[in-house]
CSV table of all heavy atoms in Angstrom, one decimal:
chain,number,residue,atom,x,y,z
A,306,ARG,N,12.5,79.5,48.0
A,306,ARG,CA,11.8,80.5,47.2
A,306,ARG,C,10.5,79.8,46.6
A,306,ARG,O,9.5,80.3,46.4
A,306,ARG,CB,12.7,80.9,46.1
A,306,ARG,CG,12.2,82.1,45.3
A,306,ARG,CD,13.0,82.2,44.0
A,306,ARG,NE,13.0,81.0,43.2
A,306,ARG,CZ,12.0,80.5,42.6
A,306,ARG,NH1,10.8,81.1,42.5
A,306,ARG,NH2,12.1,79.3,41.9
A,307,LEU,N,10.8,78.6,46.1
A,307,LEU,CA,9.7,77.8,45.5
A,307,LEU,C,8.6,77.5,46.5
A,307,LEU,O,7.4,77.6,46.3
A,307,LEU,CB,10.2,76.5,44.8
A,307,LEU,CG,9.2,75.5,44.3
A,307,LEU,CD1,8.4,76.2,43.2
A,307,LEU,CD2,10.0,74.3,43.7
A,308,VAL,N,9.0,77.0,47.7
A,308,VAL,CA,8.1,76.7,48.7
A,308,VAL,C,7.2,77.9,49.1
A,308,VAL,O,5.9,77.7,49.2
A,308,VAL,CB,8.8,76.1,50.0
A,308,VAL,CG1,7.8,75.9,51.1
A,308,VAL,CG2,9.5,74.8,49.6
A,309,GLU,N,7.8,79.0,49.2
A,309,GLU,CA,7.1,80.2,49.6
A,309,GLU,C,6.1,80.6,48.6
A,309,GLU,O,5.0,81.0,48.9
A,309,GLU,CB,8.0,81.4,49.9
A,309,GLU,CG,8.9,81.2,51.2
A,309,GLU,CD,8.1,80.6,52.4
A,309,GLU,OE1,6.9,81.0,52.6
A,309,GLU,OE2,8.5,79.6,53.0
A,310,ALA,N,6.5,80.4,47.3
A,310,ALA,CA,5.6,80.8,46.2
A,310,ALA,C,4.4,79.9,46.2
A,310,ALA,O,3.2,80.3,46.0
A,310,ALA,CB,6.3,80.7,44.9
A,311,VAL,N,4.5,78.6,46.5
A,311,VAL,CA,3.4,77.7,46.5
A,311,VAL,C,2.6,78.0,47.7
A,311,VAL,O,1.3,78.0,47.6
A,311,VAL,CB,4.0,76.2,46.6
A,311,VAL,CG1,2.8,75.2,47.0
A,311,VAL,CG2,4.6,75.8,45.3
A,312,ALA,N,3.2,78.3,48.9
A,312,ALA,CA,2.4,78.6,50.1
A,312,ALA,C,1.6,79.8,49.8
A,312,ALA,O,0.4,79.8,50.1
A,312,ALA,CB,3.5,78.9,51.2
A,313,LYS,N,2.2,80.9,49.2
A,313,LYS,CA,1.4,82.1,49.0
A,313,LYS,C,0.2,81.9,48.0
A,313,LYS,O,-0.9,82.4,48.2
A,313,LYS,CB,2.4,83.2,48.4
A,313,LYS,CG,3.3,83.8,49.3
A,313,LYS,CD,2.7,84.8,50.3
A,313,LYS,CE,2.4,86.1,49.6
A,313,LYS,NZ,1.5,87.0,50.5
A,314,THR,N,0.5,81.1,47.0
A,314,THR,CA,-0.6,80.8,46.1
A,314,THR,C,-1.7,80.1,46.7
A,314,THR,O,-2.9,80.4,46.5
A,314,THR,CB,0.0,79.9,44.9
A,314,THR,OG1,1.2,80.5,44.5
A,314,THR,CG2,-1.0,79.8,43.8
A,315,HIS,N,-1.4,79.1,47.6
A,315,HIS,CA,-2.5,78.4,48.4
A,315,HIS,C,-3.3,79.5,49.2
A,315,HIS,O,-4.4,79.4,49.3
A,315,HIS,CB,-1.9,77.4,49.2
A,315,HIS,CG,-1.7,76.0,48.5
A,315,HIS,ND1,-2.3,74.9,48.9
A,315,HIS,CD2,-0.9,75.7,47.4
A,315,HIS,CE1,-1.9,73.9,48.1
A,315,HIS,NE2,-1.0,74.4,47.2
A,316,GLU,N,-2.5,80.4,49.9
A,316,GLU,CA,-3.1,81.2,50.9
A,316,GLU,C,-4.0,82.3,50.3
A,316,GLU,O,-5.1,82.5,50.7
A,316,GLU,CB,-2.0,81.8,51.8
A,316,GLU,CG,-1.5,80.7,52.8
A,316,GLU,CD,-0.4,81.1,53.7
A,316,GLU,OE1,0.1,82.2,53.5
A,316,GLU,OE2,0.0,80.2,54.5
A,317,ASP,N,-3.4,83.1,49.3
A,317,ASP,CA,-4.2,84.2,48.7
A,317,ASP,C,-4.0,84.3,47.2
A,317,ASP,O,-4.5,85.3,46.6
A,317,ASP,CB,-3.8,85.5,49.4
A,317,ASP,CG,-2.3,85.8,49.2
A,317,ASP,OD1,-1.7,85.3,48.3
A,317,ASP,OD2,-1.7,86.6,50.0
A,318,GLY,N,-3.4,83.4,46.6
A,318,GLY,CA,-3.3,83.4,45.1
A,318,GLY,C,-2.1,84.1,44.6
A,318,GLY,O,-1.7,84.0,43.4
A,319,TRP,N,-1.3,84.7,45.5
A,319,TRP,CA,0.0,85.3,45.2
A,319,TRP,C,-0.1,86.2,43.9
A,319,TRP,O,-1.0,87.0,43.9
A,319,TRP,CB,1.0,84.1,44.9
A,319,TRP,CG,2.5,84.6,44.9
A,319,TRP,CD1,3.2,85.5,45.6
A,319,TRP,CD2,3.4,84.0,43.9
A,319,TRP,NE1,4.5,85.5,45.3
A,319,TRP,CE2,4.7,84.7,44.2
A,319,TRP,CE3,3.4,83.0,42.9
A,319,TRP,CZ2,5.9,84.4,43.5
A,319,TRP,CZ3,4.6,82.8,42.2
A,319,TRP,CH2,5.8,83.4,42.5
A,320,ILE,N,0.7,86.0,42.9
A,320,ILE,CA,0.6,86.9,41.7
A,320,ILE,C,-0.2,86.4,40.6
A,320,ILE,O,-0.2,86.9,39.5
A,320,ILE,CB,2.1,87.2,41.2
A,320,ILE,CG1,2.7,85.8,40.9
A,320,ILE,CG2,3.0,88.0,42.2
A,320,ILE,CD1,3.9,85.9,40.0
A,321,THR,N,-0.9,85.3,41.0
A,321,THR,CA,-1.7,84.6,39.8
A,321,THR,C,-3.0,85.3,39.5
A,321,THR,O,-3.6,84.9,38.5
A,321,THR,CB,-1.9,83.2,40.2
A,321,THR,OG1,-2.8,83.2,41.3
A,321,THR,CG2,-0.6,82.5,40.5
A,322,GLY,N,-3.4,86.2,40.3
A,322,GLY,CA,-4.8,86.8,40.0
A,322,GLY,C,-5.9,85.9,40.7
A,322,GLY,O,-7.1,86.3,40.6
A,323,SER,N,-5.5,84.8,41.2
A,323,SER,CA,-6.5,83.9,41.9
A,323,SER,C,-6.6,84.3,43.4
A,323,SER,O,-5.7,85.0,43.8
A,323,SER,CB,-6.0,82.5,41.8
A,323,SER,OG,-6.5,81.7,42.9
A,324,LYS,N,-7.7,83.9,44.0
A,324,LYS,CA,-7.8,84.3,45.4
A,324,LYS,C,-7.3,83.2,46.3
A,324,LYS,O,-7.2,83.4,47.6
A,324,LYS,CB,-9.3,84.4,45.7
A,324,LYS,CG,-10.0,85.6,45.2
A,324,LYS,CD,-11.4,85.8,45.7
A,324,LYS,CE,-12.1,87.0,45.1
A,324,LYS,NZ,-13.6,86.8,45.1
Side-chain angles (χ1 to χ4, degrees):
R306 193 200 50 75
L307 173 59
V308 175
E309 290 319 315
V311 167
K313 287 287 282 171
T314 311
H315 275 240
E316 287 175 356
D317 61 18
W319 193 41
I320 55 164
T321 62
S323 153
K324 288 189 181 150

